[in-house]
Structure formats: C-alpha cells, structure tokens
Amino acid sequence: MVTRLLIEYDGTDFAGWALQPGRRTVKGELEAALATLRGEPVALSVAGRTDAGVHAWGQVAAYAGAPVRLASLNALIGDDVAVLSCEEAHPGFDPRADAEARTYCYSVLARSAPSAFRRRTTLHWPYACDRDLLHACAAALPGTHDCTAFTLTETEHRWFTRIVETAEWRERGDALEFWITADAFLRHMTRTLVGTMLEVAQGRRTPDEFVALLAGAHRRDAGHTAKPHGLALAAVRYPVI
C-alpha cells in the first residue's frame, strides 16, 4: 500500500525539503512524526524538493504503508507545516515520476514601503517596475526552451529543455504574482526567471534580450536569482486514473 500526502508549509525556518544533518527540514519533521505514529521508520518521496526558504501550498509526498489519522499527524508537527490530506494512493504511486506538471507562484510587492505582514512570503521590490515589460516577458515563456541560463552553473541536471505550459504576471494593486506551469523545473529556474524579468522591468535589459536567453544562453548572461521567500510550490498535477 502507498499513502499520498498533500502538504503546505511556510519554508522560512526550514533548511529546505531534503534531510540535512543538524538542520530542520520539512522531510525530517514529517518523517519523525510518521515514525512515531506508525512505530517504525518512514521514508518519504516528494514531488518537488524545495530549497531553504521556499514555501508550498500544494506539495505532494508519499510513503509505503497505510494512512495515519490526519489530526494525530498534524498534532506532532510544527505550526509552520500542515498536512491537508493523508490517503491511500494507487499501487506504485510515485509523486515525482508520475507528475505531469508543477505550478509555482512568485510574489512581489512593487512599492517603496515594505509590508509588515507579507515580509515572510513576498519579495519587496522598491525599484522601477514597468508592468507592461513584465507581461511581455511572461508572454514569451510558453513553449519549449533550453533553460540553461536559468539554473545553477554547477548542477546535477544533464537535460535543460523544459516545456512551459503557461506563464503570466497577475496584478493585485501593489502586489504582483508570477504564475508558471511547466512539465518540470530546473533548480532555481523560477527564481532566476523572476530576477531577470524584474531587471527588464527596471530598464536594465530589454524584453528581446530576455527572450534570447531562452535559447540556451550561459547562466552569466541572465539576471540575479530572486530571493527564495517569495516562491511557493502551488500545485502538482497528476494523470486522472
């Protein structure tokens, strides 16, 4: 039997998803709680290994074994993690390999004054921000691209082509949200896309220069990597079985 978990978390005080000796991680918190409830070690697999400081609204994980009582599981983990569901999955379910697409959201506050309430989840951007230029960059993203420019120079990835299904900036007053759905993501990909687009919006590069990066440019040609706290894994899509 395989059990599937739907999880949300505030990543501010975590050293990412994966286990890191001596550091608090989402994986470690959940595996410890599950081991207490099941009376044996539990190994979680996950749809997307988020970096330190990155949040999640729709993370998916799985383990071999029967579901546990949801209220009991949430009682054993910190207030910055919540398991929304704990249910039996189909045999052989793999949250990473079975995923068809993932959706991320990056939040930006584009105004001179910071926010006392959104500082943990939103990047404060007090600089020039031409929103038409942001929309022009996002409009160029749907399609198949070589995203080498938007990931780490030293990386475990060997294949850098990604299929972007949708990408858009949504405006809510001073708040901007960049939503992107793709078949898979390179490490730091969304954050580097956002950092580069903000440089376009600031007038430091042009939309055409941004588009040129999607043809396999070197990492040094793209912009800065936006800070992790503005990013959230919003959803993971799976085939309907």
Side-chain angles (χ1 to χ4, degrees), residues 74 89 231:
N74 280 313
L231 183 63

Side-chain angles (χ1 to χ4, degrees), residues 137-145 164-167:
C137 290
L141 284 171
T144 302
H145 306 289
V164 178
E165 294 183 6
T166 61

